[in-house]
Amino acid sequence: MNVGQPASAPKLPWRLISGNHACALGAVAAGCRFFAGYPITPSSEIAERLSRLLPLVDGVFVQMEDEIASIAAVIGASMGGVKALTATSGPGFSLKQENIGYAAGAEIPCVIVNVMRGGPSTGMPTRPAQGEIMQSRWGSHGDYPIIVLAPASVREIHDENMRAFDLAEPLRTPVVILYDQDIAQRTETVELGDANGVARAQRKWASGPPAAYQPYATGEDGIPAMSRPGAGYRVHTTGLNHAENGFPTQSPQAVERNLGRLLTKFERHRDLIDSWQTLGCDDAEVLIVAIGISARAALRALEICRARSLRAGLFRPITLWPFPENALREAASQANAVLVPEMNAGQLSLEVGRILGGKRVEAIHRFNGEPITPAEIAQRVETLAREMNQ
Amino acid sequence: MAFEQVKFYQTGTFTVGNRLLEPELRSVQADTTRTNSLNSGHRACQGCGEALGARYAIDAAMEATDNQLIAVNATGCLEVFSTPYPETSWQIPWIHSLFGNAAAVATGVAAAMRAKGRETTRVVAQGGDGGTTDIGFGCLSGMFERNDDVLYICYDNGGYMNTGVQRSSATPPAARTATTPAMGPEPGNVFGQGKNLPEIAMAHGIPYVATATVADLRDLEAKVRRAMQIRGARYMHILVPCPLGWGHASADTIRIARLAKETGTFPVFEAECGEVTSRLPIRKRLPVEDYLKPQKRFAHLFGPEPATATLARLQALADRNIRKYALLEET
């Protein structure tokens, strides 16, 4: 209902909503029909919204007894054939890590939202941070692949949440959506469009004769077909290292073959996975690399820089992991120096430095809960540009 | 002609009553030398039941241990409102653990005291109902099973109030919370029976389990004193109304707590080694509607079409408590 509008007025396409609200709407639009979660600031609004939205579309909302149970229920629901989501923040993300590793290893599609707040430990629940850039990639033990998306606006949270399901389902992988408290709880006017009737990516379902079914055997695409529960296929799913038939194995050859396939399974699908934004990179002397609220500040910083005739550009990875390395190298090809503003003690700058080996990479680190301002970024760009030209 | 002895029901509950008691029987709060362990100036909401309950409980524990007390605190309202930087309301050694691990951290503290030969220093762990009945349940059960020398106090306000009033497994049936909206065929919290932590604690056979409310603070203090006389794992479950989450007037906190007890919704009792040893009888039995009506979280039960079936089920739960704990019998 449009409050303040006459009843006959056309329904406006815009909505004034928070990032967490957009996240919940995106999940429902993507076909998510199961949510299990646990209250935690600043992500609780996602659960609260979905407790109202999911029953309206015959979905299921469950508030679980803790963070570990929440991700475990999501894994169970996904094994049952339903698109499933959980949402949390730093401490809860830490608790979920063992299960995230299980989902990656057993190749169970699911989406995990992590709203970043100050850390470590309980940290600053109501303040933004970007401290889980590395944890989202490496948080569980052992080697495993994972996709992490890093939206930077309310609208993008909605869209990336939909894309998360479109990646998780066909690629059979957990997908993490990573954004900070600032974007989670700010409200912005957005036009969400209509997702009705838009075909969404589906899981690859097994269709051959059940007797010949191998749960982890793959074709060229490297993605094993999943069996529909109750369709007659025998499945053995385990957290132990397994062979193509799904059963545990310690055979070095079988483990190398199957784990090796798992670790490289995204390589053929990078076109689908990779996503980034570039701005002013063609002639940039100084390239800014940032995500989330820091990228929002960098956008304004670009305007300030250009007004001062400083040639600055922005590279914003939307898919954070696997990192769009080639795109970054290309964007940085003209730059003499790279600046990474990030709300942590140094995470994204490590990866950027690794990729752009040899190039001067500097960072603005901030972990006191106050977002980095455009003026600070512009100031550092100016200093860098001056130093490089001397 | 036989005279009936005059009963001072309110003795000690109100300060005036203390004058009728022997000095050693007077309430801890009435004593001018009380420690005031949870000091004034904290940021709890007006009418917060938890702030009241914690102050009485910890002061009583301090008195009982000759001020040799360490408090462990799970994440929750109590932790947040009592310690905004650079202030603290705690006048005792106090450690914030995480959300689900207060019982285990307290186990460690108690073991350290034992290892250092300082067994006169006692340990209290405290948490809300979320940190106790949900995420902290595993650690708590372990602490009970090992019979560690810790008094664990759960301040039960029936939900995750600190994060914005989401349901917990202590949320009563039919109550509206942020994650159990009053919509659909079964509005509010699904009609289970919640997790009865005092009875689960009793099933562990630990030396002492007690429930209390902030309506009977004299009783609450006495139970804390009793708990501190005992060694081993002890559990107290204190009902603390939350004006914000329950949607009642902040001046009504005590009244609501009393109604919870007088309707049989919340049985107040003591148990030792798994056996109920005493209970606080209902003085004047009231229907559950009297307890539910002043709370906005139950408002959907009293709409244009009263939810008679739900109300009957809630009444049946109260009746079961009254039968089970013999709450109508004089002690």
Side-chain angles (χ1 to χ4, degrees):
Chain A
M1 187 189 290
N2 295 312
V3 179
Q5 294 277 331
S8 58
K11 196 179 170 210
L12 296 173
W14 308 297
R15 299 184 70 169
L16 180 64
I17 56 174
S18 73
N20 282 340
H21 190 172
C23 182
L25 293 172
V28 174
C32 169
R33 291 296 177 267
F34 182 85
F35 179 93
Y38 187 71
I40 186 163
T41 307
S43 82
S44 298
E45 296 89 354
I46 301 169
E48 291 172 8
R49 289 285 172 187
L50 286 170
S51 76
R52 289 160 176 76
L53 290 172
L54 280 176
L56 301 177
V57 291
D58 292 331
V60 173
F61 168 90
V62 195
Q63 190 185 315
M64 300 297 289
E65 70 272 24
D66 60 30
E67 297 284 359
I68 297 172
S70 304
I71 176 76
V74 159
I75 288 170
S78 179
M79 287 297 288
V82 175
K83 291 183 183 177
L85 173 79
T86 185
T88 187
S89 180
F93 195 50
S94 293
L95 285 165
K96 290 186 195 303
Q97 288 301 330
E98 188 191 8
N99 276 265
I100 292 173
Y102 173 77
E107 299 180 66
I108 300 167
C110 56
V111 178
I112 303 117
V113 177
N114 177 40
V115 181
M116 293 182 287
R117 68 190 215 187
S121 188
T122 312
M124 288 182 286
T126 57
R127 295 279 183 176
Q130 299 177 326
E132 283 99 84
I133 290 174
M134 285 299 180
Q135 188 193 20
S136 63
R137 174 64 191 89
W138 309 105
S140 199
H141 58 276
D143 293 313
Y144 62 95
I146 195 162
I147 297 173
V148 181
L149 309 178
S153 70
V154 170
R155 167 70 196 263
E156 203 169 67
I157 288 170
H158 176 269
D159 295 355
E160 287 301 299
N161 199 0
M162 294 173 77
R163 193 165 77 93
F165 283 97
D166 287 350
L167 293 172
E169 294 288 319
L171 299 178
R172 285 192 65 175
T173 178
V175 175
V176 174
I177 302 175
L178 202 62
Y179 55 90
D180 45 76
Q181 177 273 338
D182 198 307
I183 303 169
Q185 296 189 317
R186 72 166 52 212
T187 49
E188 292 178 338
T189 307
V190 291
E191 190 180 338
L192 295 178
D194 191 0
N196 278 337
V198 177
R200 307 240 63 96
Q202 294 298 315
R203 235 175 253 192
K204 192 172 138 192
W205 294 109
S207 55
Y213 177 62
Q214 297 260 54
Y216 290 97
T218 69
E220 271 300 292
D221 62 354
I223 312 294
M226 225 163 165
S227 62
R228 279 188 195 279
Y233 295 93
R234 286 194 66 183
V235 184
H236 186 97
T237 309
T238 173
L240 291 159
N241 281 348
H242 42 264
E244 287 83 351
N245 61 10
F247 288 105
T249 179
Q250 293 188 42
S251 148
Q253 293 79 18
V255 171
E256 189 151 331
R257 200 169 59 239
N258 284 283
L259 186 54
R261 191 264 310 159
L262 176 69
L263 294 175
T264 55
K265 80 171 176 179
F266 293 158
E267 280 175 12
R268 289 188 197 84
H269 307 281
R270 289 296 289 265
D271 288 353
L272 199 63
I273 298 169
D274 286 6
S275 177
W276 67 89
Q277 183 193 8
T278 54
L279 217 63
C281 292
D282 295 344
D283 66 338
E285 274 184 298
V286 178
L287 180 70
I288 305 168
V289 182
I291 63 161
I293 189 64
S294 304
R296 295 288 290 271
L299 278 175
R300 174 78 189 112
L302 281 193
E303 293 173 5
I304 299 171
C305 289
R306 292 281 166 173
R308 292 183 197 163
S309 304
L310 291 161
R311 287 189 285 136
L314 173 69
F315 180 83
R316 181 170 73 86
I318 299 171
T319 299
L320 184 58
W321 302 106
F323 200 93
E325 298 190 19
N326 294 335
L328 174 62
R329 284 197 196 93
E330 196 181 315
S333 58
Q334 299 300 314
N336 298 320
V338 178
L339 178 65
V340 185
E342 53 180 334
M343 294 191 67
N344 54 51
Q347 298 191 16
L348 185 58
S349 54
L350 296 178
E351 182 67 4
V352 171
R354 184 188 70 77
I355 294 165
L356 302 177
K359 215 169 263 270
R360 182 171 175 183
V361 176
E362 298 229 337
I364 300 175
H365 295 144
R366 178 72 43 81
F367 41 80
N368 63 4
E370 290 292 329
I372 299 163
T373 64
E376 286 173 88
I377 298 172
Q379 183 60 44
R380 276 294 283 278
V381 169
E382 191 165 7
T383 311
L384 267 175
R386 197 170 54 233
E387 284 174 15
M388 299 306 288
N389 288 331
Q390 274 172 0
Chain B
M1 186 180 167
F3 288 93
E4 194 177 330
Q5 198 183 354
V6 177
K7 288 179 187 163
F8 291 102
Y9 279 121
Q10 294 171 341
T11 303
T13 300
F14 301 106
T15 26
V16 64
N18 279 294
R19 284 182 291 156
L20 305 168
L21 293 169
E22 297 298 321
E24 67 269 17
L25 290 177
R26 289 180 188 172
S27 80
V28 180
Q29 289 298 314
D31 191 341
T32 52
T33 63
R34 70 173 191 273
T35 52
N36 223 3
S37 314
L38 179 60
N39 224 335
S40 59
H42 56 66
R43 312 282 176 87
C45 304
Q46 199 176 34
C48 174
E50 187 173 34
L52 182 65
R55 178 158 64 89
Y56 273 70
I58 300 299
D59 276 353
M62 281 288 274
E63 188 216 51
T65 57
D66 203 16
N67 299 344
Q68 301 293 303
L69 192 71
I70 296 172
V72 178
N73 212 131
T75 303
C77 276
L78 181 61
E79 170 247 328
V80 169
F81 76 63
S82 64
T83 57
Y85 179 83
E87 303 154 9
T88 177
S89 286
W90 295 98
Q91 308 300 305
I92 57 172
W94 180 92
I95 177 175
H96 166 228
S97 57
L98 297 176
F99 203 176
N101 64 355
V105 171
T107 290
V109 176
M113 288 300 118
R114 196 169 66 242
K116 294 175 81 171
R118 295 182 54 178
E119 286 174 321
T120 50
T121 303
R122 308 293 296 279
V123 184
V124 170
Q126 32 186 2
D129 52 289
T132 303
T133 65
D134 284 338
I135 196 169
F137 184 65
C139 286
L140 185 63
S141 178
M143 187 201 100
F144 289 161
E145 187 272 327
R146 293 183 302 269
N147 200 24
D148 293 318
D149 187 27
V150 175
L151 167 62
Y152 190 103
I153 303 177
C154 169
Y155 303 103
D156 176 5
N157 56 17
Y160 292 87
M161 304 319 185
N162 183 40
T163 48
V165 197
Q166 293 87 10
R167 74 149 220 131
S168 78
S169 56
T171 301
R176 180 200 69 196
T177 69
T179 48
T180 55
M183 59 179 257
E186 226 185 333
N189 194 26
V190 287
F191 210 102
Q193 48 190 3
K195 214 182 267 186
N196 192 329
L197 236 286
E199 285 190 8
I200 294 171
M202 284 164 64
H204 286 76
I206 58 172
Y208 186 76
V209 174
T211 67
T213 77
V214 290
D216 290 288
L217 291 161
R218 181 89 184 104
D219 171 72
L220 190 160
E221 283 185 341
K223 282 169 176 166
V224 173
R225 276 176 170 155
R226 173 81 189 115
M228 297 317 285
Q229 287 166 359
I230 300 170
R231 289 277 176 179
R234 291 140 289 144
Y235 179 74
M236 273 192 72
H237 195 99
I238 304 176
L239 185 75
V240 290
C242 169
L244 179 78
W246 296 13
H248 64 73
S250 51
D252 275 350
T253 298
I254 304 287
R255 185 168 77 90
I256 299 286
R258 181 167 291 130
L259 287 168
K261 181 224 157 198
E262 294 295 287
T263 54
T265 306
F266 187 83
V268 180
F269 64 93
E270 276 179 304
E272 295 191 19
C273 300
E275 302 289 334
V276 175
T277 52
S278 83
R279 64 271 185 292
L280 216 55
I282 290 171
R283 287 179 208 157
K284 184 185 170 205
R285 189 179 182 178
L286 296 167
V288 287
E289 281 91 337
D290 287 19
Y291 167 64
L292 305 172
K293 249 185 190 158
Q295 304 179 44
K296 286 207 185 77
R297 62 175 173 162
F298 294 112
H300 56 279
L301 302 180
F302 302 99
E305 279 179 51
T308 41
T310 308
L311 289 169
R313 292 172 79 182
L314 287 162
Q315 184 63 56
L317 284 184
D319 292 346
R320 195 181 68 173
N321 284 336
I322 290 170
R323 264 197 322 277
K324 191 170 177 182
Y325 295 98
L327 297 176
L328 288 175
E329 289 169 27
E330 282 291 322
T331 38

